[in-house]
RNA sequence: GUGGCCGUAGCUCAGUCGGUAGAGCAUCGGAUUGUGGCUCCGAAGGUCGCGGGUUCGAGUCCCGUCGGUCACCCCA
């Protein structure tokens, strides 16, 4: 065995078995997403797959697991520390600030798609290089945008056939809310410190909110009696959250409030959400996101709000209902004498110029083999060029579904053939 | 980073008590001197992950190692 792909990666190729290995499914999801972004009036943004390490440390958060143990960090030849992006938002916000995009008409509605990198142990639906399709709406804190973004995520997933999905939402409140809630939560957890798991004890110091999403049974038991953020919401945070819920109801986006959602990225504020599918394994989050009203300022921009989601394409594919690959080709040229091969290629090219898809045999197959190949390629027509045809200046046009055949003159060029096909 | 399970043909797998490698699918050819899907026949395809050990003999037993996978942690 020669070289193998790096751990946690996969290839996409004709014949790939897993849904995330099939090019036809990738193209289908990408086209579906593009169609949604066009209809919701989002414009594309492309940013580098690596950035200064510090951008992610500041943006995603020093205390987050992603920064602490999951980044691919390397030094360039000038000794600068760079990191492969572990998520999409930080880079997009950096570009927004760097180019002064907040001076354009706001909000700016952006979408992106591309690979993200996290140094994790592989399991079902989790890769070291995975692909996210995401959006960011920058320059406003209007809760109606939260509604649009969540609706977009939900309908995109529906369109690609994600099964058994539920959208969970929560609010982390604004700054005032957290100033009141976090000390309460912390005080409560401190009292029950001995019943918490070690990870949660550590988070008590670094980021107490994160304790809320612990799966440890002992910690969960403590949390059952913990103060809930819902009771601490400021008037503004409460009315924003109500507006989001009302909006989702109006747009008929089914959702459930889950107060345990706090997200592992530190920049989130206010609305957070996560779409989970029962069709996945333990990694059941298909797409998620939230509002980040401090991030733009933290990265050196003005005090403006933003919200976005990232959706994992591999997980969308894994959670989607099975789909057969549909192959199609307009014409397959069957050549039965060597002299006919170049004329066939010439004719094929003439048809290609007109927008028809064409192919021919390059493997030296038997006649039977070539028809089989035409069938497999999903060809609508076969154009047979054998000894008789070659000498007579015509070809035989075979309709692959009916089996009907007719002579078509080609000595004067592709005109007659085109007339039959277009 | 930790743990469970698994590595045999391109893919999915069988391989009994340790006796020198099998099937299905896929590929190519033939049955049909130039005609696909269905059927039948045939061919090609293997470092049994790798290294070591035990044995007359190892795909099979033992040790190590690498890889995969699922789960934990966390996330898309």
């Amino acid at each position: 065995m020669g070289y193998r792909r790096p751990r946690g990666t996969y290839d996409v190729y004709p014949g790939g078995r897993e849904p995330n290995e099939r090019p036809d499914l990738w193209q289908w999801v990408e086209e579906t997403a593009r169609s949604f972004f066009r209809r919701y009036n989002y414009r594309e943004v492309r940013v580098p797959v690596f950035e200064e390490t510090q951008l992610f440390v500041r943006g995603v958060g020093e205390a987050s697991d992603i920064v602490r143990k999951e980044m691919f960090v390397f030094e360039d030849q000038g000794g600068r520390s760079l990191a492969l992006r572990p998520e999409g938002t930080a880079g997009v916000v950096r570009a927004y600030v760097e180019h002064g995009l907040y001076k354009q008409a706001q909000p700016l509605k952006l979408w992106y798609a591309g690979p993200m990198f996290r140094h994790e142990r592989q399991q079902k639906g989790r890769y070291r290089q995975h692909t996210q399709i995401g959006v960011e709406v920058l320059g406003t804190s209007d809760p109606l945008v939260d509604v649009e973004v969540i609706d977009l995520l939900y309908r995109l997933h529906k369109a690609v056939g994600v099964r058994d999905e539920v959208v969970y939402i929560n609010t982390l409140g604004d700054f005032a809310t957290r100033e009141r809630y976090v000390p309460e939560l912390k005080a409560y957890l401190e009292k029950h410190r001995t019943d918490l798991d070690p990870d949660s004890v550590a988070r008590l110091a670094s980021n107490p909110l994160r304790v809320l999403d612990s799966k440890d049974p002992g910690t969960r038991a403590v949390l059952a009696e913990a103060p809930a953020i819902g009771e601490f919401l400021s008037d503004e945070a409460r009315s924003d959250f109500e507006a989001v819920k009302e909006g989702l109801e109006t747009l008929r986006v089914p959702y459930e409030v889950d107060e345990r959602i706090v997200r592992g990225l530190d920049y989130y504020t206010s609305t957070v959400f996560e779409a989970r599918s029962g069709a996945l394994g333990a990694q059941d989050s298909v797409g998620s996101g939230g509002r980040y009203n401090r991030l733009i300022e933290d990265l050196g921009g003005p005090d403006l709000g933003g919200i976005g989601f990232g959706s994992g394409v591999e997980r969308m594919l894994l959670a989607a209902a099975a789909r057969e690959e549909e192959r199609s080709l307009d014409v397959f040229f069957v050549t039965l004498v060597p002299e006919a091969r170049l004329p066939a290629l010439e004719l094929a090219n003439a048809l290609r110029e007109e927008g028809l898809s064409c192919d021919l045999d390059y493997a030296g197959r038997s006649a039977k083999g070539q028809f089989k190949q035409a069938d497999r390629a999903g060809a609508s027509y076969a154009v047979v060029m054998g000894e008789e045809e070659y000498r007579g200046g015509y070809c035989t046009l075979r309709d692959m579904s009916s089996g009907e055949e007719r002579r078509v003159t080609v000595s004067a060029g592709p005109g007659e053939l085109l007339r039959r096909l277009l």
Side-chain angles (χ1 to χ4, degrees):
Chain A
M1 192 53 117
Y3 295 106
R4 310 165 73 106
R5 63 185 184 273
R7 174 175 283 185
T9 63
Y10 57 90
D11 296 310
V12 182
Y13 55 97
R17 292 257 155 169
E18 299 300 320
N20 61 301
E21 294 174 336
R22 285 174 47 183
D24 59 312
L25 296 182
W26 275 89
Q27 288 174 16
W28 168 63
V29 167
E30 286 161 353
E31 281 159 20
T32 304
R34 260 190 258 277
S35 150
F36 268 82
F37 298 146
R38 183 181 54 73
R39 284 179 283 150
Y40 281 66
N41 195 33
Y42 284 65
R43 295 158 80 193
E44 187 176 7
V45 58
R46 298 194 191 206
V47 297
V49 296
F50 61 89
E51 298 269 5
E52 274 179 60
T53 304
Q54 274 308 307
L55 173 67
F56 300 118
V57 174
R58 287 267 165 71
V60 179
E62 210 142 7
S64 67
D65 290 278
I66 288 176
V67 165
R68 277 201 356 261
K69 51 184 201 191
E70 294 173 5
M71 279 208 293
F72 281 94
V73 176
F74 61 99
E75 266 191 15
D76 73 4
Q77 295 182 350
R80 284 170 285 260
S81 180
L82 301 171
L84 297 181
R85 64 179 180 198
E87 57 94 53
T89 302
V92 172
V93 172
R94 192 224 79 233
Y96 177 77
V97 173
E98 180 171 342
H99 301 290
L101 302 185
Y102 44 82
K103 292 170 186 160
Q104 297 186 12
Q106 302 297 300
L108 198 56
K109 306 208 298 181
L110 302 171
W111 70 268
Y112 63 84
M116 306 296 164
F117 304 85
R118 291 181 199 170
H119 192 101
E120 300 182 282
R121 206 49 188 271
Q122 179 173 353
Q123 71 184 79
K124 190 177 176 69
R126 192 173 72 183
Y127 305 91
R128 290 188 172 183
Q129 173 175 336
H130 75 277
T131 307
Q132 286 187 32
I133 290 179
V135 304
E136 310 290 351
V137 180
L138 300 156
T140 178
S141 301
D142 187 339
L144 209 54
V145 170
D146 303 26
V147 177
E148 178 179 287
V149 165
I150 295 170
D151 168 76
L152 172 52
L153 178 67
Y154 170 73
R155 287 187 205 286
L156 173 59
H157 285 178
K158 265 245 131 90
V160 300
V162 171
R163 292 169 293 164
D164 198 4
E165 174 170 293
V166 180
V167 177
Y168 296 91
I169 66 169
N170 189 26
T171 179
L172 302 179
D174 51 19
F175 196 65
T177 301
R178 286 214 240 180
E179 285 225 294
R180 295 195 298 136
Y181 175 62
V182 172
E184 287 286 331
L185 176 66
K186 201 167 171 178
Y188 171 82
L189 293 175
E190 286 289 358
K191 272 195 302 192
H192 300 275
R193 193 188 186 93
T194 50
D195 298 324
L196 301 178
D197 62 286
D199 281 337
S200 293
V201 171
R203 284 186 188 124
L204 202 44
S206 60
N207 188 351
L209 283 177
R210 290 289 310 288
V211 177
L212 292 176
D213 69 2
S214 172
K215 288 179 198 155
D216 180 80
T219 302
R220 289 279 277 272
V222 172
L223 289 171
E225 302 293 320
I229 194 164
E231 292 151 30
F232 290 80
L233 294 178
S234 67
D235 290 346
E236 196 186 342
R238 182 182 306 279
S239 72
D240 279 0
F241 195 46
E242 289 305 318
V244 171
K245 289 193 284 190
E246 188 194 348
L248 292 177
E249 279 151 28
T250 302
L251 297 190
R252 294 202 184 81
V253 177
Y255 70 89
E256 282 177 35
V257 174
D258 181 351
E259 293 204 321
R260 290 206 316 275
I261 299 182
V262 296
R263 320 289 306 131
L265 290 72
D266 292 354
Y267 52 61
Y268 287 120
T269 60
S270 189
T271 309
V272 288
F273 53 92
E274 188 169 320
R276 297 183 206 135
S277 166
L280 291 172
Q283 310 304 318
D284 60 355
S285 172
V286 187
S288 61
R291 182 160 276 292
Y292 41 85
N293 287 343
R294 302 291 296 281
L295 183 63
I296 295 171
E297 195 174 6
D298 282 351
L299 295 182
D303 176 18
L304 290 170
I307 181 171
F309 69 68
S311 189
V313 180
E314 295 82 0
R315 290 189 186 172
M316 286 192 262
L317 293 172
L318 257 30
R323 276 174 73 96
E324 293 290 308
E325 177 171 15
E326 287 169 22
R327 295 196 65 189
S328 76
L329 183 73
D330 293 318
V331 183
F332 191 94
F333 285 81
V334 174
T335 55
L336 302 172
V337 286
E339 312 87 84
R341 289 169 35 109
L342 184 55
L345 182 56
E346 190 186 10
L347 266 179
N349 258 13
L351 304 195
R352 287 165 174 163
E353 289 279 342
E354 296 301 319
L356 293 170
S357 57
C358 303
D359 205 355
L360 51 150
D361 175 67
Y362 292 112
R365 283 189 184 80
S366 65
K368 176 184 170 140
Q370 292 187 52
F371 278 98
K372 207 169 168 180
Q373 190 64 10
D375 188 51
R376 268 194 299 233
S380 304
Y381 293 92
V383 168
V384 186
M385 300 176 75
E387 179 142 27
E388 289 167 37
E389 289 92 342
Y390 181 70
R391 273 209 282 264
Y394 66 93
C395 66
T396 301
L397 179 64
R398 176 184 178 85
D399 182 323
M400 290 295 281
S401 53
S402 67
E404 252 175 74
E405 295 190 349
R406 69 197 317 157
R407 286 184 176 197
V408 178
T409 309
V410 291
S411 51
E416 179 67 17
L417 191 54
L418 273 167
R419 241 190 320 282
R420 298 280 178 201
L421 290 169
L422 289 175

